[in-house]
Amino acid sequence: MKLNDAVFGALFLALSLLVLWTIQGYPKIPGQNIGPAAFPGIAASVLALCGLLLIVQGVRQRGRAPWFQRGEWTGRPPQLIAFAVTMLGLLLYVVASERLGFIATGIVMLTALMRALRVRWVSALGVAVVATVLIHVAFYKGLRVPLPWGVLPVLY
């Protein structure tokens, strides 16, 4: 599937404006020149500039490239199933991760996606468990991001 660059540029510009609007409410830190809004603001400004450049490029290409062109994969059931499993997995994470926890939800998501991609059960489950635990350790220990434990007891 291919969208004209102007479409993605408009999406990036909208996202950057949303971020810039959101960070206006971030608190200022007394005695600091750089507050919590500085880096998201810089990133959003760069994203807005890139979005504008994409819009200009997409408008220039409009006569040569269509606004939307369907990809070959959209007519193949295995790829459509994998796409649907990915979207349902993301929805599952949003809805169930607090209750089930990151590890349980991640294992279910990755196993389902790999099975949709026709990976054998043993391999899919093994990779899903190892990848989920490594991601959890990286976020929990390395980046100090508390991911939900859900049904599992706190192991650390």
Side-chain angles (χ1 to χ4, degrees):
M1 179 169 34
K2 172 137 175 53
L3 294 175
N4 187 291
D5 288 342
V7 175
F8 281 113
L11 290 173
F12 291 157
L13 182 61
L15 176 63
S16 66
L17 293 175
L18 178 66
V19 169
L20 290 171
W21 178 70
T22 301
I23 63 173
Q24 297 305 309
Y26 285 10
K28 307 289 185 228
I29 299 176
Q32 295 284 333
N33 292 333
I34 297 178
F39 292 114
I42 293 168
S45 299
V46 170
L47 185 63
L49 177 64
C50 292
L52 288 171
L53 291 173
L54 279 172
I55 290 171
V56 169
Q57 181 176 341
V59 169
R60 285 184 184 166
Q61 291 177 348
R62 198 179 92 209
R64 292 175 281 165
W67 287 101
F68 173 78
Q69 184 177 7
R70 220 175 103 179
E72 290 181 26
W73 69 270
T74 59
R76 297 185 189 136
Q79 282 80 8
L80 289 174
I81 290 170
F83 179 75
V85 168
T86 302
M87 293 300 112
L88 289 172
L90 293 172
L91 182 64
L92 169 74
Y93 185 81
V94 169
V95 171
S97 65
E98 286 295 324
R99 220 173 241 156
L100 293 178
F102 176 82
I103 293 175
T105 308
I107 291 171
V108 169
M109 283 175 56
L110 288 176
T111 302
L113 181 58
M114 284 189 273
R115 286 298 299 149
L117 295 171
R118 298 182 176 162
V119 175
R120 291 179 300 146
W121 270 105
V122 174
S123 299
L125 195 55
V127 169
V129 169
V130 170
T132 302
V133 170
L134 286 175
I135 291 167
H136 189 273
V137 168
F139 274 85
Y140 196 80
K141 289 287 191 180
L143 299 173
R144 305 221 183 255
V145 174
L147 298 172
W149 285 101
V151 296
L152 296 176
V154 176
L155 302 174
Y156 291 75

